[in-house]
Amino acid sequence: MRSRCLSTVLAAALVVSCTSFTHAAEEASWLRAQAHLNEYCVDCHTTDDPAGERDFEGLSIKSPNLLTLERLQEAVDQLTLGTMPPPDTFEIDDEERVSMIEDLTIVLRSMQNRLESNGGRSVLRRLNRREYRNSLRDLLLIDDTMFDPTSQFPRDQRNHHRDNVGDALVMSGNQLSLYLDAATAAVDKALGTERKPKVNEWVFKDHFEQQSELSIAHRKAFEFKYMCLYDHPLNDKPEGAYGPLLKFRNGVPVDGMYEVRVLAEAKNRLTPYSETAAKRPKQEYFRFGVRPGDTRLESQAHSQPIQPLLDEQEMREEKKKWYTFVVPLDKHFAPRFTFENGLTNARGTYQRVFKQHIETLPKSVRNGRGIVHFRNSVVKHGFLPHIRIHEVRIRGPIVDQWPTESRQQLLGGRQFEPEQAVKLIHRFATRAYRRPLRVEERESLSNFYRLRRKNSEQPEVAFRETITAVLCTPEFLYFKTSLDPDNVQSLSSDA
């Protein structure tokens, strides 16, 4: 484990080093290119008396535009033809000429990429999906482990493989409505409930149904008494890769941390089957994982769009014992259990075991055929490596701080003070707009909040709606990008 982590760190360091080297090399080319122009071009192509009406004295490659691009391309062309600099003014050898051409070409390529990204103008660029999602997370201090407000957004168009080019980031009427839905969900998540949620407990045992393919086999083998995990969770056609609690139909009632205790055992790690049949190395201890499952989605037994590994434990003992996980779960989510380094393909393993190790099965089942028979026979009579779960207990939410940090961030304290609402709205909008508010913006937001109050809304509801409105304004959804590196108002790629 340590060597693998070390390899990861070294790989990351190598990437950073290579990136830094590339940037440093490009910057050196820009400096040399400017020096070449100053040495060989400026004497003749001055601002006051430019030869051939070509001014290189007033040309600055640090402020690229279409004219600069044109002039530099002309310089490269004349250097390539050997007509410039004039032989009667400067002596330049072939090595120096090639060096000039290479440096100017690097500058041209970089400049062209920057100009193509916004047509050579300062433009308003919409936040792409990644920037929008990360901005909501940082503004509202919300956990986005299981929360993606952009899941229904259309995919960002790319320009030269980049998803942050202004001209490609168009806005549609449909997307405007999606922004409102996303902002509403994000603010609701940040504010949560007004009262501290109570702790609940749930117990599941004795009847564990999983996916339909396993129903017959598990009923015949043990009447659904156990939950069994076979495949690892990345299989294309998993059977027993995800262990959902199908009786936990609505998941947890509120966002929070939950204690999940599982009575489980590692079965048949040292199976008599060959590794070619079981497709799993015997020397590896089982890794028992917990991944979230959105109960609002139809299938809990297969992969879902959002299913990060919340926690895992190594099962060094084969005996039955309690494993405790403390994991975050969003409202409507439930824990699903996984065999993180399980079988490569349980469906294929049934057939391989039946054919390669038929002597381990009772004679009464050896003459059967077909995947259903193979599965039923191996699950009931075989020695397939799997994690067997006997009982699950869930308790939570475990609240260490109330109100939550995100709620206190928005409300400015432990409880909402209506007389502070306008001030808090202005403070939030300043952060959301990434600049100080203008006078008219302050007045507009203040009037919006007062209008919501006038329409008989509760103070916190009016506050909530105003914060949501801020997140739907162009001032938040867009920001200006400029070619001038000293005058850029933007978010980083990981904003």
Side-chain angles (χ1 to χ4, degrees):
M1 179 66 73
R2 179 171 180 173
S3 62
R4 184 166 58 191
C5 293
L6 181 59
S7 299
T8 303
V9 171
L10 291 175
L14 181 60
V15 170
V16 172
S17 298
C18 291
T19 303
S20 300
F21 177 80
T22 301
H23 286 250
E26 184 174 311
E27 183 177 355
S29 294
W30 281 65
L31 293 174
R32 288 196 301 268
Q34 186 69 64
H36 292 320
L37 294 176
N38 293 339
E39 182 175 356
Y40 295 111
C41 303
V42 169
D43 283 355
C44 297
H45 300 276
T46 62
T47 301
D48 295 335
D49 185 20
E53 297 183 356
R54 300 293 189 268
D55 175 15
F56 279 94
E57 183 181 16
L59 200 68
S60 175
I61 62 176
K62 291 184 178 180
S63 301
N65 53 51
L66 294 177
L67 179 61
T68 304
L69 189 68
E70 180 181 343
R71 292 289 180 264
L72 293 183
Q73 183 62 62
E74 289 177 338
V76 171
D77 293 342
Q78 296 303 318
L79 283 166
T80 304
L81 292 172
T83 58
M84 289 290 172
D88 58 344
T89 57
F90 292 102
E91 291 186 5
I92 179 171
D93 58 28
D94 291 341
E95 184 176 349
E96 179 72 4
R97 185 180 297 275
V98 170
S99 175
M100 288 179 65
I101 292 172
E102 288 178 346
D103 289 331
L104 287 171
T105 300
I106 290 173
V107 171
L108 274 169
R109 186 182 301 116
S110 176
M111 190 180 297
Q112 187 173 14
N113 288 337
R114 294 173 66 182
L115 288 171
E116 285 180 352
S117 70
N118 56 13
R121 306 179 306 278
S122 293
V123 298
L124 289 176
R125 178 170 80 73
R126 173 175 64 78
L127 299 176
N128 60 30
R129 287 178 58 178
R130 181 183 67 259
E131 292 167 336
Y132 175 80
R133 184 174 60 247
N134 292 345
S135 295
L136 285 183
R137 178 197 64 201
D138 294 344
L139 273 173
L140 300 171
L141 298 181
I142 54 179
D143 181 0
D144 62 354
T145 304
M146 281 151 273
F147 178 69
D148 182 5
T150 71
S151 59
Q152 300 300 315
F153 284 18
R155 200 184 79 163
D156 290 325
Q157 296 299 312
R158 292 178 176 268
N159 187 327
H160 294 286
H161 308 290
R162 299 174 182 171
D163 65 355
N164 60 352
V165 179
D167 287 347
L169 292 171
V170 297
M171 175 74 79
S172 66
N174 176 59
Q175 190 154 346
L176 285 173
S177 66
L178 294 176
Y179 275 126
L180 176 59
D181 294 340
T184 301
V187 173
D188 286 347
K189 181 175 178 63
L191 289 174
T193 58
E194 185 175 354
R195 296 182 178 180
K196 181 178 179 180
K198 66 177 183 179
V199 177
N200 292 288
E201 288 196 49
W202 300 269
V203 178
F204 305 91
K205 60 180 179 179
D206 295 333
H207 194 82
F208 293 103
E209 290 195 36
Q210 292 176 248
Q211 66 193 84
S212 57
E213 292 88 342
L214 295 172
S215 292
I216 297 176
H218 282 192
R219 178 176 57 78
K220 289 186 174 183
F222 40 73
E223 287 292 336
F224 304 118
K225 187 176 181 180
Y226 316 112
M227 178 190 296
C228 296
L229 310 176
Y230 304 107
D231 282 333
H232 67 71
L234 299 181
N235 279 322
D236 291 335
K237 296 180 179 179
E239 288 193 17
Y242 300 95
L245 298 168
L246 297 182
K247 289 186 176 181
F248 203 14
R249 291 183 176 86
N250 298 317
V252 297
V254 294
D255 296 0
M257 298 297 295
Y258 289 81
E259 180 189 73
V260 181
R261 300 184 66 234
V262 188
L263 184 61
E265 59 182 320
K267 295 288 289 186
N268 303 322
R269 179 173 71 86
L270 302 176
T271 177
Y273 305 144
S274 64
E275 290 189 6
T276 57
K279 295 292 185 182
R280 189 190 179 281
K282 298 179 183 180
Q283 69 272 18
E284 284 189 4
Y285 290 111
F286 291 1
R287 287 172 27 224
F288 186 19
V290 179
R291 293 178 181 265
D294 190 340
T295 61
R296 295 165 295 184
L297 301 181
E298 183 176 352
S299 176
Q300 299 297 305
H302 296 86
S303 61
Q304 294 187 355
I306 301 177
Q307 53 173 42
L309 179 62
L310 301 177
D311 195 6
E312 71 170 86
Q313 295 189 33
E314 196 171 61
M315 305 179 79
R316 288 184 166 269
E317 302 177 46
E318 294 195 18
K319 66 180 182 180
K320 183 169 61 175
K321 60 174 289 188
W322 285 97
Y323 294 86
T324 301
F325 306 90
V326 179
V327 296
L329 290 171
D330 279 7
K331 182 179 180 180
H332 297 305
F333 279 77
R336 294 187 300 163
F337 306 104
T338 55
F339 187 175
E340 288 295 318
N341 57 344
L343 304 178
T344 299
N345 178 6
R347 184 181 177 88
T349 300
Y350 304 137
Q351 182 174 352
R352 289 190 296 270
V353 167
F354 199 89
K355 292 184 176 181
Q356 297 179 28
H357 299 278
I358 196 169
E359 75 282 353
T360 64
L361 301 173
K363 292 182 180 180
S364 58
V365 302
R366 294 180 185 179
N367 294 326
R369 293 291 181 269
I371 182 60
V372 174
H373 179 77
F374 297 156
R375 181 192 296 116
N376 294 346
S377 300
V378 173
V379 168
K380 184 173 183 178
H381 303 289
F383 304 92
L384 207 62
H386 67 278
I387 295 175
R388 180 173 291 185
I389 294 174
H390 298 256
E391 185 176 340
V392 178
R393 294 178 176 268
I394 303 173
R395 184 178 67 87
I398 302 170
V399 181
D400 294 328
Q401 175 184 342
W402 188 260
T404 61
E405 185 181 10
S406 57
R407 185 173 173 85
Q408 290 191 58
Q409 164 81 359
L410 280 178
L411 302 184
R414 297 186 60 83
Q415 60 184 5
F416 180 63
E417 302 289 348
E419 61 273 13
Q420 296 294 319
V422 172
K423 179 181 178 180
L424 293 173
I425 290 167
H426 291 169
R427 187 184 72 175
F428 177 80
T430 299
R431 296 178 60 234
Y433 295 173
R434 301 169 288 275
R435 59 168 174 77
L437 297 183
R438 295 190 288 267
V439 173
E440 61 270 23
E441 291 170 335
R442 289 177 174 272
E443 293 177 352
S444 177
L445 291 172
S446 301
N447 290 337
F448 185 93
Y449 172 73
R450 294 187 183 106
L451 179 62
R452 303 313 300 165
R453 285 293 309 273
K454 187 177 180 181
N455 291 338
S456 71
E457 296 281 8
Q458 293 296 323
E460 186 171 326
V461 174
F463 175 80
R464 183 187 299 251
E465 291 183 348
T466 308
I467 293 297
T468 302
V470 168
L471 298 176
C472 296
T473 59
E475 286 75 13
F476 171 66
L477 298 176
Y478 286 83
F479 56 86
K480 177 179 283 190
T481 60
S482 170
L483 285 174
D484 183 356
D486 296 324
N487 185 30
V488 175
Q489 181 188 354
S490 65
L491 298 178
S492 68
S493 60
D494 293 321

